[in-house]
Amino acid sequence: MKKLLKNIGPSTLIAAAFIGPGTISVCSLAGINFGYDLLWALVFSIVATMVLQEMSARLGLVTSKDLASVIRIYFSSTWKKLLALSLVILAIVFGNAAYEAGNITGAVLGLDAVFQVAEFSFLNQNINILPILIGFVSILVLALGSYKKIEKVLMLLVVLMSLSFVISALLIAPNWLDILQSIFVPRFPETSLTSILAIVGTTVVPYNLFLHSAIVQEKWKSVSSIKHARWDIFIAIGLGGLVSVCVVIAGAALHTSEITTQDFSSLALSLAPLYGDYATYLLGFGFFAAGITSSITAALAAAYVLKSALNWQGKSGKIYFKLVWILIVLAGVLFSSLNIQPLQLIQTAQISNAIVLPFAAIFLYITVNNSQWMGKYKNNALQKILGLLILLFAVFLGAKSLFFFFL
């Protein structure tokens, strides 16, 4: 057990990334609008995340390269390489900047629900100090420099966040038989398609495919560590999935209620009669932890993608790497301070997800099926079948997301 816990790490960052304000908002609304009926879609998205992240981790350990580097090397044609890398850079970097604003806003909503911090006036402008504080904490954690130190901070926050949402769900005393049935028996309530797409879209995060293939190389140096990486994925992403399930359960307690998570304070106050005044503190801290952990990982992922895509090396590469995550966090603070509704920011970022997820997943799938790249560690028959099913759904998700946005 001690050895197992010692090898937990990279997937904690992945869990921290997808359990953000967007996921909590989507899962809350899924529970509020459809009860337990969409739990099957959530479980499917968690399994899909595990399958794709395992491929990403395996790619990093076998090739000693991350996904962005592989894309840069894979294409021999200059124009194809530029097109592929431009798509990745635009979608990941600008998408993460939009996510960062949603993440920081989510963390602010969590703190504000508990402490109700008043705004102050400066040059005839009302300024909320919380986005600046959240941004400062995110930069402080990233400035630790050591991957292992960042990993430990995020592990602590993810565990505390998980406890917050699990306790919230248990206090409601839900119907466990209905929950199990909803997990294993797919249901498609009327008007639920958008919510199903949103659940999968906020769980299977494309920038995690790039991030995971990079950070496993900092945790482990040998291809024999694939078994550790798989346990890490199963435990950390499983825990993240449990958090999402608990959020749906908490939302289901308000089934048929007219409430939106755009006003998180209202959500906490509405849940309070169900299991006491602790709702505000439990959910407030959970939302804060979700926002700040995702703000750290989104900035880190953007920096890794640019570093690999543009092949930054040496001392200057380290400077550019730091500059990217600083700018991403500052962009998040700026847009969060403009009082834009967090769901609007998150929905904007999901459009970039819709574009890049099929591309990243297809390229990852092709690479890990390739004997030349992966040798004996290429996908086996079961992994090929599961991967193909997930790819088809990713393409469907992307097409539907773009359809809903433009039409």
Side-chain angles (χ1 to χ4, degrees):
M1 179 60 70
K2 185 178 180 181
K3 186 177 180 181
L4 181 64
L5 292 175
K6 184 181 178 181
N7 283 292
I8 299 298
S11 295
T12 306
L13 274 72
I14 305 305
F18 78 75
I19 304 297
T23 299
I24 294 174
S25 300
V26 165
C27 290
S28 296
L29 289 174
I32 290 167
N33 295 325
F34 303 105
Y36 303 139
D37 287 352
L38 302 187
L39 280 175
W40 68 268
L42 179 55
V43 172
F44 167 82
S45 67
I46 293 163
V47 173
T49 300
M50 287 181 175
V51 171
L52 290 177
Q53 295 303 151
E54 189 276 338
M55 291 183 189
S56 174
R58 186 157 32 102
L59 174 70
L61 289 172
V62 172
T63 66
S64 297
K65 294 177 176 62
D66 58 71
L67 184 57
S69 295
V70 172
I71 292 174
R72 177 169 50 81
I73 297 168
Y74 188 88
F75 293 103
S76 55
S77 170
T78 302
W79 74 267
K80 288 180 181 178
K81 183 182 296 188
L82 286 174
L83 180 63
L85 291 177
S86 297
L87 177 63
V88 170
I89 291 170
L90 286 171
I92 297 296
V93 176
F94 287 100
N96 282 18
Y99 268 124
E100 194 71 0
N103 292 332
I104 290 174
T105 302
V108 168
L109 289 172
L111 284 181
D112 195 52
V114 177
F115 298 109
Q116 298 181 347
V117 178
E119 296 180 340
F120 68 92
S121 181
F122 180 73
L123 297 178
N124 296 323
Q125 293 290 325
N126 290 330
I127 297 176
N128 187 336
I129 197 172
L130 289 180
I132 300 171
L133 178 62
I134 299 298
F136 174 76
V137 172
S138 298
I139 288 176
L140 191 63
V141 173
L142 287 165
L144 292 173
S146 167
Y147 160 75
K148 290 184 179 180
K149 291 179 181 177
I150 296 173
E151 176 187 279
K152 288 179 181 177
V153 172
L154 291 182
M155 283 179 69
L156 176 62
L157 284 171
V158 167
V159 169
L160 292 175
M161 173 178 64
S162 302
L163 287 173
S164 172
F165 285 113
V166 170
I167 292 171
S168 298
L170 290 175
L171 287 172
I172 295 172
N175 188 322
W176 296 107
L177 188 60
D178 283 353
I179 289 172
L180 285 174
Q181 188 177 21
S182 298
I183 288 174
F184 293 105
V185 180
R187 297 169 182 166
F188 297 87
E190 189 177 351
T191 72
S192 65
L193 179 58
T194 303
S195 293
I196 292 171
L197 294 174
I199 286 172
V200 179
T202 57
T203 306
V204 188
V205 182
Y207 73 73
N208 277 343
L209 301 180
F210 295 89
L211 179 61
H212 207 167
S213 58
I215 59 178
V216 288
Q217 299 173 54
E218 299 193 31
K219 179 74 173 181
W220 300 293
K221 302 301 180 184
S222 170
V223 70
S224 63
S225 297
I226 287 177
K227 59 183 179 182
H228 299 312
R230 285 171 175 158
W231 274 110
D232 176 46
I233 290 166
F234 179 75
I235 294 171
I237 295 179
L239 183 62
L242 178 62
V243 171
S244 297
V245 169
C246 288
V247 174
V248 173
I249 291 171
L254 291 173
H255 186 33
T256 71
S257 298
E258 293 185 3
I259 181 173
T260 72
T261 50
Q262 290 186 17
D263 184 356
F264 181 69
S265 299
S266 296
L267 174 61
L269 290 173
S270 297
L271 286 172
L274 296 172
Y275 46 77
D277 295 332
Y278 291 109
T280 299
Y281 301 102
L282 284 170
L283 296 177
F285 177 80
F287 223 78
F288 162 74
I292 198 164
T293 53
S294 293
S295 70
I296 292 167
T297 51
L300 196 61
Y304 270 116
V305 167
L306 271 180
K307 178 186 176 183
S308 298
L310 301 179
N311 198 24
W312 290 338
Q313 301 290 336
K315 187 176 180 180
S316 59
K318 292 180 180 178
I319 294 172
Y320 295 149
F321 182 82
K322 290 181 180 179
L323 187 60
V324 171
W325 56 251
I326 289 172
L327 290 175
I328 292 291
V329 173
L330 291 179
V333 171
L334 176 63
F335 287 113
S336 177
S337 301
L338 295 177
N339 293 321
I340 301 173
Q341 288 290 352
L343 287 185
Q344 292 177 351
L345 295 168
I346 292 164
Q347 286 166 355
T348 300
Q350 284 174 343
I351 299 306
S352 68
N353 265 8
I355 296 170
V356 81
L357 177 58
F359 170 77
I362 288 170
F363 191 83
L364 175 64
Y365 182 73
I366 291 171
T367 306
V368 292
N369 281 340
N370 192 318
S371 299
Q372 196 172 7
W373 279 92
M374 301 296 293
K376 67 179 182 179
Y377 296 101
K378 70 175 184 178
N379 278 347
N380 58 35
L382 178 60
Q383 289 168 326
K384 286 180 180 178
I385 294 170
L386 287 174
L388 184 59
L389 290 173
I390 293 166
L391 283 187
L392 292 173
F393 194 86
V395 172
F396 174 73
L397 172 68
K400 280 291 186 181
S401 298
L402 290 173
F403 176 81
F404 284 132
F405 179 73
F406 288 111
L407 299 178

